[in-house]
């Protein structure tokens, strides 16, 4: 049964199914806390795995980000036509694959036939679009996973939260989502970590939303400008701070000085010297 069909069936069954989902999530959370490796306090986030050098939102990109020492990896999630959560930034497959058409109009089997790597270079030819389940399964347990839901879809929010709980990744994966999708995610799995992706910016409205909504992360957005006092306000309220866009290492340096925790970068290797300046060592190798 697909995640989407499961979501709709759950809503019809009512209390019993919702209670079972909650129990599964609580059990996963307990298992994660027992002997879990520490999570990075600050560092670099590999945007789409490393869009500058590798095919975005693919397993080869994630492997390279991990090899280099990413502290966080960001990737994008959408539903396929048959209700599987898979990775794609754009609404269409045109830019990143050899195919054409809307992602949501294709089944997983159809998407698997597309080459998601060749446009980035011959050595990536044959790379396939991964599912959310596959992406979670390959990750070590001491790197933050920034899971960006690309649709304002309650079903996607709920299904993604259940997938995170099922994979026992509740302590490290957070859903970057619209308020509607975030509310559905939290209704399905109350302890899921969230980052709101509406009204973004270094603005009072977005900061108020993040604090009031008890977000685990906020993602400020701009061209490098940031208000250090607003960053401090978020952190005093237990909200970690990400930032996008970060065009140069110099911008990353200024963001770190202002208190930003995780700048999102396209070319991780280019920014690693700045992370080392601040003492942000790569996470030690940990089990998956």
């Amino acid at each position: 049964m697909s995640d989407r069909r499961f979501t709709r069936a759950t809503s019809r069954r009512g209390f019993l199914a919702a209670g079972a989902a909650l129990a599964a999530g609580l059990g996963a959370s307990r298992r994660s806390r027992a002997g879990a490796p520490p999570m990075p306090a600050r560092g670099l986030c590999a945007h789409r795995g490393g869009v500058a050098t590798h095919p975005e939102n693919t397993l080869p990109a994630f492997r390279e980000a991990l090899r280099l020492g990413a502290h966080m990896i960001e990737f994008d999630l959408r539903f396929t036509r048959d209700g599987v959560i898979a990775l794609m930034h754009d609404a269409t497959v045109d830019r990143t694959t050899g195919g054409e058409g809307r992602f949501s109009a294709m089944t997983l089997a159809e998407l698997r036939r597309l080459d998601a790597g060749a446009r980035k270079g011959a050595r990536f030819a044959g790379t396939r679009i991964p599912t959310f389940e596959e992406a979670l399964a390959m990750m070590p347990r001491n790197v933050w996973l920034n899971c960006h839901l690309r649709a304002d879809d309650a079903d996607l929010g709920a299904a993604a939260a259940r997938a995170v709980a099922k994979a026992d990744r509740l302590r490290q994966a957070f859903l970057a989502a619209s308020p509607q999708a975030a509310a559905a995610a939290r209704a399905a799995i109350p302890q899921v970590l969230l980052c709101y992706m509406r009204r973004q910016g270094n603005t009072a409205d977005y900061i108020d939303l993040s604090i009031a909504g008890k977000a685990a992360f906020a993602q400020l957005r701009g061209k490098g400008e940031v208000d250090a006092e607003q960053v401090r306000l978020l952190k005093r309220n237990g909200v970690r701070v990400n930032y996008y866009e970060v065009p140069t290492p110099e911008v990353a340096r200024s963001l770190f000085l202002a208190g930003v925790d995780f700048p999102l970068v396209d070319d991780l290797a280019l920014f690693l010297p700045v992370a080392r300046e601040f003492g942000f060592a790569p996470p030690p190798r940990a089990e998956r």
Side-chain angles (χ1 to χ4, degrees):
M1 181 179 291
S2 75
D3 281 336
R4 177 170 285 180
R5 291 194 293 271
F6 180 77
T7 301
R8 290 170 179 164
T10 299
S11 64
R12 288 195 296 268
R13 293 188 190 106
F15 265 143
L16 290 177
L22 174 58
L26 289 172
S29 180
R30 291 191 199 100
R31 288 193 299 275
S32 291
R33 286 194 296 268
M39 299 301 297
R42 301 177 75 191
L44 294 172
C45 175
H47 183 224
R48 303 182 207 165
V51 66
T53 60
H54 284 64
E56 65 183 62
N57 284 313
T58 65
L59 302 190
F62 302 154
R63 292 188 191 103
E64 177 65 2
L66 294 170
R67 184 189 72 80
L68 289 170
H71 305 88
M72 175 188 290
I73 297 179
E74 186 266 356
F75 50 87
D76 302 289
L77 302 176
R78 294 182 179 274
F79 266 138
T80 66
R81 192 179 76 195
D82 47 344
V84 179
I85 306 176
L87 276 61
M88 178 65 60
H89 178 273
D90 297 0
T92 73
V93 301
D94 302 26
R95 180 177 62 85
T96 57
T97 78
E100 295 181 349
R102 293 190 65 79
F103 185 89
S104 61
M106 300 182 186
T107 65
L108 179 62
E110 291 168 335
L111 290 163
R112 293 286 209 194
R113 291 196 285 270
L114 302 178
D115 191 326
R119 290 196 173 183
K120 207 66 179 179
R123 67 190 176 110
F124 299 117
T127 299
R128 301 303 170 200
I129 295 170
T131 65
F132 188 26
E133 181 179 9
E134 290 167 343
L136 291 174
M138 71 159 291
M139 298 293 184
R141 294 185 178 271
N142 62 339
V143 172
W144 292 109
L145 305 179
N146 182 343
C147 312
H148 189 174
L149 278 57
R150 297 302 306 187
D152 186 8
D153 183 338
D155 283 355
L156 180 58
R162 284 196 295 272
V164 169
K166 181 180 177 181
D168 191 15
R169 302 287 180 157
L170 284 168
R171 66 180 296 272
Q172 72 173 136
F174 62 95
L175 303 183
S178 70
Q180 177 187 0
R186 187 167 275 165
I189 304 292
Q191 70 274 34
V192 70
L193 303 179
L194 297 174
C195 174
Y196 294 103
M197 300 294 280
R198 284 291 183 273
R199 294 187 287 169
Q200 278 175 272
N202 197 23
T203 66
D205 281 352
Y206 179 65
I207 289 164
D208 289 346
L209 170 66
S210 299
I211 293 171
K214 300 186 184 305
F217 289 84
Q219 189 156 299
L220 304 182
R221 184 164 187 168
K223 300 294 184 181
E225 67 282 359
V226 67
D227 184 327
E229 178 52 39
Q230 290 181 325
V231 172
R232 287 192 289 271
L233 176 61
L234 285 164
K235 295 174 78 166
R236 283 198 301 270
N237 284 274
V239 184
R240 298 174 180 88
V241 181
N242 302 337
Y243 193 99
Y244 179 80
E245 304 171 26
V246 188
T248 67
E250 290 71 26
V251 170
R253 184 179 293 108
S254 69
L255 293 172
F256 281 138
L257 287 170
V260 169
D261 296 312
F262 297 98
L264 277 69
V265 303
D266 290 342
D267 188 345
L268 193 64
L270 180 65
F271 288 79
L272 283 172
V274 176
R276 286 195 289 268
E277 285 178 26
F278 287 84
F280 305 147
R285 291 185 180 271
E287 67 174 15
R288 295 177 181 176

